[in-house]
Amino acid sequence: MQKVVLTSALSNKKIQLIIVALIVTLFSCKKENLNVFNTDTFQIEIDQSGFVTGLVETSSKQNFVPTGNKGPLVTVIANGKLGMPTAFKAISETDYQLSFDQTDVQLTLEIKQKDTHISFSVADISSDEDLEAILWGPYPTVISDTIGENIGVVRNKNFAIGIQSLNPKTTAGKLDNIRGVTSYHGTAAEATDFGSVMQAFAIDRTKDRTKSNWDGWKNKFPGRPIDILNEEEGAITGSAIALFGCKPATALKTIGAIEVAEGLPHPEINGVWVKESKETNRAYAISPFTEGDVDTMIKYAKKAGLRSLYHEGPFKTWGNFELDEEFFPNGIEGLKSCADKAKAHGLNIGVHTLSNFITPNDKFLTPVPDRRLAITGSAELIEAINETDFDIEISDNQMILNQKNSKMNTIRIDDELIRYGSVSSEKPFILYDCQRGAFGTTASSHTKGATTVKLLDFAYKTYYPNWDMQKDMVKNIVRVINDAGITQMGFDGHEGCYATGNGDYAMDKFAFDWYNTVDHVTVNSSSRLKHYYWHINHFINWGEPWYGGFRESQADRRFKVQPFLERNYLKNMLGWFMITPTTIPTDIEWMMARAAGYNAGFAMVLRRPSLEANPHTDELLALIKLWEEARLSGAFSKEQREKLKDGNNEFHLERIDHKTLALHPFKTNSFEHIKKVLQPGEPTDSEWSFPNRGEEQPLKFRVTIKSSVKKSQGFITKPNLIFDNSFEFELPDKMMVGASVVCDGSEYLRIYDAKGRFIETFDMGRKPPVLRKGMHNFRFDCSFSGDDDMTINVIVKQEGQKEIINL
């Protein structure tokens, strides 16, 4: 090798020029080996092997791909092997060819550069092998500040990078199971040690994948069928994604622009995209209204300033969605008349569904069961049976094992449904104590070797459709929506679409078909979100009111879901709440303060008997309307909203005039009484002092019995509470752990159980003393029974300095 020597004859300036020239030459060679794709703000660099080496902000030239951690543009799974890209080359202005190791698969990708994003789609596939799936990415970034796991956007304070699926067959997320189900919140973007990754996949669903031998698959239900799709729906060809990068403040608008440019769902309310409209997360009423009382319920909803009247259970059957005559004796015309009346008052009318759940009384099951009902597997009859045989031997029990938590235990043989009591765990596999001709089907004789299938069911005592029947269910629910003029619907139980075996694709396709079939704008919600469905969805509203009072029924989980909604560009929603005959204004204001803090909508269950039985109904509805007006107008400051979020803080809102409100915060003093072991005769009570520096006001407090022992059965007896050494409160003689006593300043104490559910009112016969300015004290004592770590918590609530708010 010839040695190069730089002599002193070369000046330092010349040496510097040579070095610069070498650097420029090397840099130019590097760029020549890259394929570069641009938007107005973003650049993607892909090397000749097919790896993404650059995710670059155009203005700053910062590359967000971690050093030494480039990601594949696409990988393939063929014949059980994972193929990494080895060559990437242009074959036309927009088409590029990708080759892979481990396989002869070649993909032709169509790549288009747009102002806001770069799209990648599979235009053609060349292979003699079985291409089972493709993986888009994962694309690594150094960004870790905010990970939008469902929407697929990662961002820091300076830049955001995102991935978007451009059709339902392309699932944004990690592929780690044979059905293509991603985790509950999503994996379109995930945090890593170096920052984050974004990813998507598509499965060839035109073939049976249950026996694939790629070790990346997980199959929790071996032998459970996966519905095989036709070429148009199930092929990988056409799978497509978009990648984009922009300033964080414009990321949501960029997604909206991608929707429009790529023909994705882009629902609007009054001409404004739902992800930006203030109308999207307005609160609404849930009610079992009827043709006879819809006018009354509309008045209640209007008094509360709610935007919809949403029926919680209008259907007699799910599947064909027959209306319940109890609510709508005139059927679809009766429901339409309700919708027309609501529309005249500016309200939506909604219906609640369990998506693709099927009830046993539906025509899909009775009197002749549809052969397209989802199954867990099949077996054969070992011997012929007649209509009076109640113990039935089958060839295999795998179909039983594929659903260990079955509640309905239903098999189908020909046109008969049969429910069994139990099954033997070893051969001979015998179904014992069978109920023949279940659900109105006909008990019949069946030949030896007849196919026996186990129906897939759920704890709600319902069944599921396969892929083909699911399309019919979409048509059935859309028929009701279109014919009756329904303008709101919920995809509750949306995960039931997994019954088809086609994972997230089935959920997204169910909603996609629905969206493309309804003939007018229909607000839709769900309790579960998938990446592509995000484009269709108006809001996610999870949180149920059935398990306790306003403060206790899933409160922590309601609040914990808010950061998920925010990092995935969804409107905040707090879930369902319910007004009962015993709901009081402080319950409503506690909830409304949280809604204002999170700028969150909610659903309020309004049942006519409860409203008519509650003496505070008009006040409750007026408070809801007032708080919603303030929230939607943006009246609360950032500092106020932070305080309003805290469940330990309480507030009262009042109107001064049509443009001015007063927010009254309440200060709390919290005290604890514990069990004391002292000498005989020595006082065991606790005494606490506290000042009232505010205005004279009613005395308000809450006494709660607590224990750190799970499911404690402890209780107290003979509670003694004395205020200012003079007023002795008469409390229930026995109180269980978790129970609370609330004094709201009136002569009535209210007793609640551990779930916050009202138990009874305790009449003291007179009002408690007024809390005047100055120092005050409480003394408390009781007898403990049960756990030694029981404590008594006494909280005194005092009104603080009011804050003036301008609308």
Side-chain angles (χ1 to χ4, degrees):
M1 179 180 295
Q2 185 176 1
K3 188 174 182 180
V4 178
V5 179
L6 293 176
T7 67
S8 59
L10 292 174
S11 68
N12 287 336
K13 186 175 182 180
K14 287 183 177 180
I15 293 173
Q16 290 173 354
L17 289 172
I18 290 172
I19 292 172
V20 169
L22 286 171
I23 291 172
V24 170
T25 301
L26 289 171
F27 184 79
S28 300
C29 291
K30 181 181 179 183
K31 285 295 181 183
E32 288 176 0
N33 291 329
L34 291 176
N35 299 273
V36 180
F37 306 92
N38 294 284
T39 72
D40 291 343
T41 56
F42 183 54
Q43 180 174 292
I44 300 176
E45 299 172 354
I46 304 173
D47 67 19
Q48 291 183 331
S49 296
F51 283 82
V52 176
T53 59
L55 298 171
V56 181
E57 181 184 13
T58 304
S59 60
S60 69
K61 306 300 182 185
Q62 182 178 356
N63 186 357
F64 291 93
V65 173
T67 303
N69 201 355
K70 60 187 180 181
L73 177 61
V74 179
T75 57
V76 298
I77 302 164
N79 287 344
K81 297 179 181 179
L82 181 67
M84 301 297 289
T86 57
F88 179 68
K89 62 181 181 180
I91 55 177
S92 73
E93 185 178 350
T94 59
D95 290 351
Y96 290 77
Q97 190 176 77
L98 258 178
S99 301
F100 306 87
D101 63 10
Q102 304 283 338
T103 175
D104 71 349
V105 172
Q106 287 189 328
L107 296 184
T108 300
L109 300 182
E110 183 180 40
I111 304 177
K112 293 183 178 180
Q113 302 173 78
K114 311 286 180 70
D115 293 342
T116 53
H117 66 285
I118 300 159
S119 65
F120 302 80
S121 62
V122 178
D124 191 37
I125 299 170
S126 174
S127 177
D128 292 329
E129 300 181 73
D130 178 18
L131 177 60
E132 300 172 81
I134 66 167
L135 312 178
W136 295 96
Y139 307 122
T141 86
V142 295
I143 297 174
S144 61
D145 291 15
T146 302
I147 311 295
E149 64 268 52
N150 192 286
I151 190 57
V153 179
V154 300
R155 54 197 187 272
N156 58 27
K157 64 180 181 179
N158 297 318
F159 205 62
I161 301 176
I163 185 172
Q164 291 292 286
S165 159
L166 297 184
N167 48 47
K169 71 166 63 176
T170 308
T171 300
K174 179 190 291 185
L175 176 60
D176 62 6
N177 61 83
I178 207 161
R179 287 169 166 76
V181 175
T182 64
S183 68
Y184 186 86
H185 280 161
T187 52
E190 287 188 299
T192 64
D193 292 341
F194 53 76
S196 58
V197 293
M198 298 167 296
Q199 57 208 342
F201 63 85
I203 299 172
D204 181 355
R205 302 181 185 274
T206 65
K207 299 178 182 178
D208 185 2
R209 298 297 171 202
T210 56
K211 296 182 180 179
S212 173
N213 60 2
W214 176 49
D215 59 9
W217 300 104
K218 295 177 184 175
N219 192 353
K220 296 181 179 179
F221 305 104
R224 183 189 286 185
I226 295 177
D227 292 337
I228 299 173
L229 311 186
N230 61 36
E231 188 70 23
E232 179 182 355
E233 294 180 316
I236 289 173
T237 304
S239 174
I241 64 165
L243 294 174
F244 70 91
C246 60
K247 293 296 183 183
T250 61
L252 182 60
K253 287 186 179 297
T254 299
I255 296 173
I258 292 171
E259 288 183 351
V260 173
E262 298 294 341
L264 300 180
H266 188 75
E268 296 178 340
I269 298 178
N270 299 327
V272 180
W273 184 35
V274 297
K275 296 302 190 294
E276 295 181 325
S277 172
K278 291 183 178 180
E279 292 291 304
T280 300
N281 70 335
R282 278 187 59 189
Y284 59 99
I286 295 178
S287 171
F289 62 86
T290 69
E291 291 180 45
D293 70 4
V294 67
D295 296 296
T296 299
M297 298 314 300
I298 286 173
K299 289 179 182 177
Y300 281 130
K302 293 280 286 184
K303 283 183 178 180
L306 303 175
R307 68 111 175 261
S308 301
L309 197 58
Y310 179 87
H311 203 293
E312 60 186 274
F315 299 108
K316 180 172 64 177
T317 76
W318 297 331
N320 283 273
F321 298 104
E322 298 176 46
L323 290 170
D324 192 332
E325 297 91 345
E326 178 184 350
F327 302 114
F328 307 106
N330 292 301
I332 203 76
E333 288 302 318
L335 179 56
K336 186 178 187 304
S337 71
C338 294
D340 290 342
K341 288 179 178 180
K343 184 178 180 180
H345 287 275
L347 297 180
N348 290 327
I349 279 284
V351 292
H352 186 66
T353 73
L354 265 294
S355 296
N356 72 339
F357 290 26
I358 302 171
T359 50
N361 61 337
D362 189 80
K363 293 175 183 177
F364 280 139
L365 270 94
T366 183
V368 178
D370 197 301
R371 301 296 178 95
R372 300 173 300 166
L373 290 163
I375 64 174
T376 65
S378 62
E380 295 179 354
L381 283 182
I382 295 299
E383 299 291 342
I385 60 172
N386 60 39
E387 60 272 19
T388 59
D389 286 327
F390 302 108
D391 293 339
I392 300 173
E393 185 177 356
I394 55 176
S395 60
D396 187 32
N397 71 340
Q398 184 62 52
M399 65 179 185
I400 309 297
L401 299 177
N402 275 343
Q403 194 188 16
K404 296 179 181 178
N405 295 321
S406 174
K407 304 298 181 183
M408 301 299 283
N409 291 3
T410 308
I411 62 170
R412 179 184 59 77
I413 309 177
D414 300 324
D415 288 334
E416 181 187 359
L417 296 180
I418 301 170
R419 297 184 69 184
Y420 59 88
S422 60
V423 61
S424 54
S425 58
E426 298 178 351
K427 280 191 174 183
F429 299 118
I430 299 175
L431 302 172
Y432 292 110
D433 305 318
C434 292
Q435 174 194 339
R436 304 296 302 274
F439 306 123
T441 61
T442 302
S444 309
S445 298
H446 304 283
T447 61
K448 177 181 179 180
T451 299
T452 303
V453 298
K454 165 84 166 58
L455 298 190
L456 180 61
D457 66 83
F458 185 63
Y460 286 17
K461 299 180 180 179
T462 53
Y463 300 88
Y464 294 112
N466 71 2
W467 183 268
D468 184 55
M469 185 193 283
Q470 180 169 290
K471 295 179 183 178
D472 283 352
M473 290 188 68
V474 171
K475 294 175 185 176
N476 291 341
I477 188 59
V478 168
R479 170 182 47 80
V480 175
I481 290 172
N482 289 346
D483 290 352
I486 298 302
T487 48
Q488 183 172 339
M489 196 197 92
F491 289 101
D492 199 5
H494 201 171
E495 68 277 7
C497 297
Y498 288 157
T500 66
N502 285 293
D504 289 15
Y505 180 20
M507 287 181 64
D508 288 334
K509 189 64 162 55
F510 185 91
F512 182 71
D513 289 346
W514 174 90
Y515 180 81
N516 287 321
T517 312
V518 291
D519 62 9
H520 57 272
V521 175
T522 305
V523 173
N524 74 93
S525 62
S526 179
S527 57
R528 185 179 295 229
L529 188 70
K530 291 302 175 182
H531 173 87
Y532 190 85
Y533 172 57
W534 183 97
H535 298 289
I536 297 168
N537 171 262
H538 286 65
F539 55 82
I540 297 297
N541 193 30
W542 187 91
E544 299 178 353
W546 324 118
Y547 311 110
F550 279 69
R551 294 168 172 81
E552 288 78 11
S553 188
Q554 302 180 330
D556 287 346
R557 296 173 70 181
R558 294 174 194 266
F559 301 145
K560 285 179 180 177
V561 80
Q562 301 309 309
F564 164 78
L565 300 176
E566 291 164 3
R567 63 179 176 262
N568 288 285
Y569 302 112
L570 292 164
K571 298 288 187 178
N572 294 78
M573 296 292 288
L574 283 181
W576 294 21
F577 296 87
M578 180 167 60
I579 292 180
T580 70
T582 58
T583 300
I584 56 177
T586 53
D587 294 332
I588 292 293
E589 294 209 272
W590 181 90
M591 186 275 294
M592 295 304 300
R594 310 296 81 84
Y598 286 103
N599 190 21
F602 56 88
M604 185 63 68
V605 178
L606 302 180
R607 292 172 174 169
R608 184 177 177 183
S610 294
L611 297 176
E612 291 176 346
N614 192 312
H616 307 288
T617 290
D618 286 343
E619 183 181 358
L620 303 180
L621 299 181
L623 283 169
I624 293 172
K625 185 174 184 177
L626 181 63
W627 277 92
E628 269 293 272
E629 180 185 355
R631 176 181 77 85
L632 292 170
S633 68
F636 299 107
S637 68
K638 182 178 179 181
E639 292 75 17
Q640 287 171 330
R641 286 184 56 198
E642 286 304 310
K643 294 175 183 176
L644 290 165
K645 287 180 183 179
D646 189 341
N648 294 314
N649 296 333
E650 298 202 36
F651 301 86
H652 169 60
L653 190 65
E654 69 170 335
R655 184 182 294 280
I656 305 298
D657 55 45
H658 71 287
K659 286 190 175 182
T660 311
L661 305 178
L663 180 67
H664 299 263
F666 288 90
K667 175 186 176 183
T668 57
N669 298 282
S670 182
F671 309 109
E672 280 196 339
H673 173 74
I674 61 175
K675 184 177 181 180
K676 300 173 184 176
V677 180
L678 302 174
Q679 297 179 19
E682 187 174 354
T684 58
D685 63 354
S686 296
E687 182 172 1
W688 313 292
S689 297
F690 60 94
N692 175 25
R693 297 188 176 93
E695 297 299 320
E696 184 178 290
Q697 57 192 274
L699 176 63
K700 299 179 179 180
F701 63 83
R702 175 187 290 260
V703 179
T704 305
I705 296 85
K706 296 184 175 182
S707 174
S708 62
V709 176
K710 193 174 183 180
K711 296 182 179 180
S712 171
Q713 298 299 310
F715 60 92
I716 65 169
T717 56
K718 301 177 181 179
N720 181 250
L721 180 67
I722 301 176
F723 177 71
D724 281 354
N725 300 316
S726 60
F727 189 96
E728 185 171 346
F729 286 89
E730 188 176 351
L731 302 177
D733 190 59
K734 178 179 179 180
M735 297 172 62
M736 300 297 296
V737 163
S740 296
V741 177
V742 175
C743 174
D744 63 359
S746 71
E747 63 268 35
Y748 300 104
L749 298 179
R750 297 168 67 85
I751 318 299
Y752 297 86
D753 68 9
K755 295 292 186 179
R757 292 173 294 213
F758 175 79
I759 300 174
E760 62 179 332
T761 297
F762 197 85
D763 187 354
M764 296 188 296
R766 59 175 177 150
K767 288 185 177 181
V770 172
L771 189 63
R772 306 181 192 280
K773 281 188 176 182
M775 293 298 297
H776 299 275
N777 69 71
F778 265 121
R779 293 208 328 265
F780 182 85
D781 202 0
C782 68
S783 297
F784 291 87
S785 295
D787 308 306
D788 287 338
D789 68 341
M790 289 171 58
T791 60
I792 311 303
N793 178 233
V794 178
I795 294 178
V796 181
K797 187 169 74 172
Q798 297 174 250
E799 185 176 336
Q801 184 66 39
K802 68 181 179 182
E803 302 172 21
I804 299 300
I805 295 173
N806 296 313
L807 293 174

